[in-house]
Amino acid sequence: QEKHRILHKLLQNGNS
Amino acid sequence: SPNSSVTEIEHLTQNVLKSYRETCQLRLEDLQLLRLETFSWEEVRSYQKKSMEEMWERCACRITEAIQYVVEFAKRMGGFMELCQNDQIVLLKAGAMEVVLVRMCRAFNSENRTVFFEGKYAGPELFKSLGCNELINSIFDFAHSLCSLHFSENEIALFTALVLINSSRPWLQEKDKVERLQNNLELAFKHMLRKTHRESILAKLPPKGKLRSLCYQHMEKLRSFRQMYPIIVHAVFPPLYKELFS
């Protein structure tokens, strides 16, 4: 999970 | 399909088209209007005189921006957020750049072999200082061949959804779930092509291996660049770009 930190963050954020 | 109703497929189609319209980054009308705005000889020279590091950083930033729109496209697409997070990441890691390359055909002018980049249309020679002439030419050739299909916006929407939702990507945990979504998207794409009498393009779509090979070449070039300039990549390249490609 740590390896894909940014993708995780983008996927967890609501629609922008 | 015995498992999917016509209503379900129609609903998925409308959802993909809407997700695409909301996340296509640049409007087709604007890209068409700007087609005559090409970089002057002096401007091309100034790009060519930039250092390899600066040009790589610029391109990494532009690719990252385009990828952020693809992530948003995926998130809004029916079924994607219902997949487990491992599979969302696997599909985006493998497919985001492929979608960017397909989307690029909207920003490509086949008549003079130029692509929209940083405000104007640029030929392959503008990217000289990257030191990747072969890759750049392959990408331009790919965009040229896609343009010959005269994709509509709706066709790009469904085709790119299928580029992303690919159940043959390695490391998927819920392959069956991805496969079901992929099958429904294939039905949606074929149904739309039948309605618009465009089924003939099915035989002309780029083979999956072509996109995979372009993405592989890009990662190989990044690997070589990183060997030469590890600190530049570490310090100034966008974190999302590094996460996806290194």
Side-chain angles (χ1 to χ4, degrees):
Chain A
Q1 294 223 341
E2 185 51 32
K3 216 174 129 194
H4 301 114
R5 195 170 45 87
I6 314 280
L7 265 184
H8 267 288
K9 216 168 109 188
L10 287 174
L11 287 166
Q12 272 159 6
N13 285 346
N15 288 347
S16 47
Chain B
S1 160
N3 306 316
S4 311
S5 67
V6 174
T7 323
E8 197 183 339
I9 298 299
E10 189 54 38
H11 182 76
L12 179 64
T13 305
Q14 291 312 318
N15 168 276
V16 171
L17 303 187
K18 182 172 182 282
S19 310
Y20 172 77
R21 278 196 304 271
E22 290 169 349
T23 62
C24 64
Q25 190 174 9
L26 294 158
R27 294 190 327 157
L28 189 64
E29 306 89 274
D30 296 333
L31 287 165
Q32 302 279 3
L33 274 174
L34 289 161
R35 271 159 81 99
L36 296 174
E37 292 282 328
T38 48
F39 283 107
S40 68
W41 186 83
E42 288 81 8
E43 287 168 327
V44 172
R45 279 298 297 143
S46 123
Y47 271 103
Q48 289 176 334
K49 279 192 267 181
K50 289 186 194 304
S51 65
M52 185 187 256
E53 307 93 280
E54 186 189 340
M55 201 57 190
W56 261 88
E57 189 203 342
R58 273 174 185 263
C59 290
C61 289
R62 300 295 84 79
I63 290 171
T64 307
E65 284 164 8
I67 280 173
Q68 283 172 311
Y69 284 92
V70 176
V71 174
E72 207 53 50
F73 169 60
K75 282 170 67 179
R76 292 174 193 215
M77 206 168 74
F80 184 84
M81 292 309 274
E82 278 78 61
L83 301 172
C84 65
Q85 201 160 59
N86 173 80
D87 292 358
Q88 293 171 11
I89 286 173
V90 164
L91 295 175
L92 280 169
K93 250 201 117 161
M97 183 66 178
E98 295 190 2
V99 173
V100 168
L101 288 169
V102 174
R103 283 181 164 203
M104 185 183 139
C105 74
R106 307 164 73 238
F108 189 81
N109 183 354
S110 265
E111 283 162 30
N112 58 6
R113 207 175 146 79
T114 56
V115 69
F116 191 72
F117 176 79
E118 299 194 336
K120 288 187 185 181
Y121 277 77
E125 66 284 358
L126 182 131
F127 302 93
K128 194 178 156 195
S129 54
L130 288 173
C132 311
N133 290 349
E134 204 185 317
L135 172 61
I136 295 294
N137 272 309
S138 301
I139 292 174
F140 272 64
D141 289 344
F142 177 74
H144 185 83
S145 68
L146 267 194
C147 279
S148 69
L149 298 180
H150 303 289
F151 268 148
S152 69
E153 286 287 86
N154 289 351
E155 288 166 0
I156 294 186
L158 279 165
F159 179 61
T160 50
L162 275 165
V163 168
L164 207 55
I165 309 300
N166 177 349
S167 63
S168 65
R169 302 289 191 200
W171 315 113
L172 288 171
Q173 280 173 356
E174 297 174 341
K175 204 173 155 63
D176 292 354
K177 220 169 159 183
V178 179
E179 206 167 358
R180 180 170 150 75
L181 182 55
Q182 181 185 330
N183 288 341
N184 283 345
L185 286 166
E186 274 165 4
L187 283 173
F189 188 40
K190 285 178 184 163
H191 182 64
M192 187 181 72
L193 295 178
R194 204 174 311 130
K195 276 204 297 195
T196 50
H197 309 290
R198 287 270 292 162
E199 284 163 299
S200 60
I201 66 163
L202 282 171
K204 299 172 195 161
L205 293 172
K208 285 182 176 174
K210 179 68 205 172
L211 277 164
R212 209 170 39 232
S213 147
L214 287 173
C215 292
Y216 177 76
Q217 285 177 61
H218 162 239
M219 283 166 75
E220 278 298 292
K221 285 288 169 193
L222 172 63
R223 205 165 59 91
S224 313
F225 178 79
R226 194 185 194 139
Q227 274 170 359
M228 281 188 285
Y229 301 101
I231 296 165
I232 298 279
V233 174
H234 177 76
V236 299
F237 272 33
L240 178 60
Y241 180 88
K242 286 185 281 184
E243 201 171 278
L244 287 168
F245 305 120
S246 29

